[in-house]
């Protein structure tokens, strides 16, 4: 950003904020902060600030420019999911016959997930006297999102998308003396030692579920790692059989209209997990469930298409939205679009409930270390970052108690991300004071 444009930005900011009939923003301090800073000098930056009580946009700097939102995409996923899914997650569709229980997955990401409470799904399957049959016929999507990096397959944030997720679709490895324990135990005999110059870690063979560790090296006592497993419908039946204690047979049967729905956990449990730690697996499967409800198929793409038509057709700018998590760099959105969604969320979700599912600056989730620890956070927001991008969008409660929503997006920088985050905090803290 050139110095002339920075000065114009400051003047516009001061004029807009002063017009809100609240205490004036410290124009000298903010002006100095921005005009003397080189942090944003080469960024692509956009910032929109909206007063929720006055229903008025009070500041807009390049708010119509497009940005890669990264995990700010989860704001869209949350908005659509809280409108679509009701109070609890649909876990299974099922039909009970005299000698058979046929089940179809609904994309519930909580089933036996190491990060989620126990639901009643496992007890339901264990207690069934019938033979269990599993069909994935309603899943028409893909296991990875468009534009996901191919070499992320070994990272816990890139687990595959499946109709009936189990164990979070990851294998957890923990040190046990000089060896490892795999959870689920199904994968224990798939650990192999190979010659490697690298430090101790687990690497899955890309094409199958062989998990390699360095030969002759031992894990540290506190070693833990989660690695996505390579999914298949056959593997799902085998993992199900191992936890229910009886055979599960894979069949290809269309989802019946007469099928009943088994519910699992309250949706807010998964919303909080998705937003607090930016859980990609939760986000993708929430949109998968929305696809089943909105489009009649377990399909993230079709769920997004229906959501854009049903819920997002009044946004000021057309968006490109391709996945539930924001892992894809194909996603494109403007700050004023995000502010519009945040405004709508605030109108539909009680503030106390909303601020509980969002990370709180200095207190919880991905914003816990953004500022010093506090019992009175003033920012409740979702960050979104991958290399060269850092965005923060959410709600700010000013010192005088006024609630604003904002989207401050920064793309295409080569400076350390810590510098960008620090500058974002300075700007928002200054606004908090007015």
């Amino acid at each position: 950003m050139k110095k002339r444009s920075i000065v114009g930005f400051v003047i516009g900011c001061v004029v807009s904020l002063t017009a809100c009939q609240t205490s004036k923003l410290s124009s000298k301090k903010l002006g100095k902060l921005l005009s003397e800073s080189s942090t944003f000098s080469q960024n692509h930056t956009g910032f929109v600030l909206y007063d929720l009580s006055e229903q008025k946009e009070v500041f807009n700097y390049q708010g119509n420019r497009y940005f890669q939102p990264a995990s700010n995409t989860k704001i869209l996923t949350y908005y659509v999911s809280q409108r679509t899914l009701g109070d609890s997650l649909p876990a299974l569709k099922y039909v009970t016959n005299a000698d058979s229980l046929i089940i179809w997955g609904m994309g519930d990401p909580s089933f036996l997930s190491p990060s989620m409470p126990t639901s009643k799904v496992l007890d339901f399957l264990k207690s069934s006297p019938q033979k269990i049959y599993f069909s994935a016929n309603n899943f028409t999507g893909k296991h990875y999102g468009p534009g996901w990096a191919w070499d992320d397959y070994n990272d816990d944030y890139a687990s595959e998308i499946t109709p009936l997720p189990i164990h979070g679709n990851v294998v957890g490895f923990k040190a046990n003396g000089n060896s490892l324990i795999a959870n689920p135990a199904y994968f224990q005999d798939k650990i192999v030692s190979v010659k490697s110059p690298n430090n101790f870690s687990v690497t899955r063979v890309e094409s199958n579920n062989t998990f390699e560790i360095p030969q002759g090296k031992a894990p540290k006592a506190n070693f833990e790692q989660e690695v996505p497993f390579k999914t298949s419908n056959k593997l799902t039946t085998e993992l199900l059989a191992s936890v229910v204690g009886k055979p599960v047979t894979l069949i290809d049967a269309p989802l019946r209209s007469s099928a009943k729905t088994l519910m699992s956990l309250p949706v807010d449990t998964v919303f909080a997990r998705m937003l607090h730690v930016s859980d990609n697996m939760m986000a993708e499967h929430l949109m998968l469930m929305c696809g089943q409800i909105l489009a009649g198929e377990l399909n993230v793409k079709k769920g997004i298409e229906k959501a854009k038509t049903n819920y997002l057709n009044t946004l000021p700018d057309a968006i490109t939205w391709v996945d539930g998590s924001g892992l894809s760099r194909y996603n494109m959105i403007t700050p004023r679009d995000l502010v519009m969604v945040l405004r709508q969320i605030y109108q539909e979700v009680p503030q106390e409930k909303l601020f509980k599912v969002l990370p709180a600056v200095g207190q919880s989730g991905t914003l816990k270390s953004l500022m010093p620890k506090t019992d009175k956070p003033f920012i409740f927001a979702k960050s979104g970052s991958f290399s060269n991008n850092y965005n923060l969008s959410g709600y700010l409660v000013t010192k005088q108690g006024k609630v604003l929503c904002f989207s401050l997006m920064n793309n295409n920088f080569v400076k350390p991300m810590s510098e960008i985050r620090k500058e974002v905090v300075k700007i928002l803290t200054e606004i908090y004071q007015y």
Side-chain angles (χ1 to χ4, degrees), residues 3 21 46 53 83 114 121 127 152-153 172 179 197 210 245-246 307 319 403 421 432:
K3 190 169 183 180
Q21 297 182 359
S53 62
R83 293 198 64 174
V121 177
S127 63
D152 286 349
Y153 74 91
S179 61
T210 301
K246 53 187 173 183
I319 63 174
V403 183
R421 286 198 296 261
Y432 162 76

Side-chain angles (χ1 to χ4, degrees), residues 17 147 152 240 243 311 350 387 418:
L17 290 171
D152 286 349
L240 275 175
V243 296
Y311 305 140
S387 56
S418 59

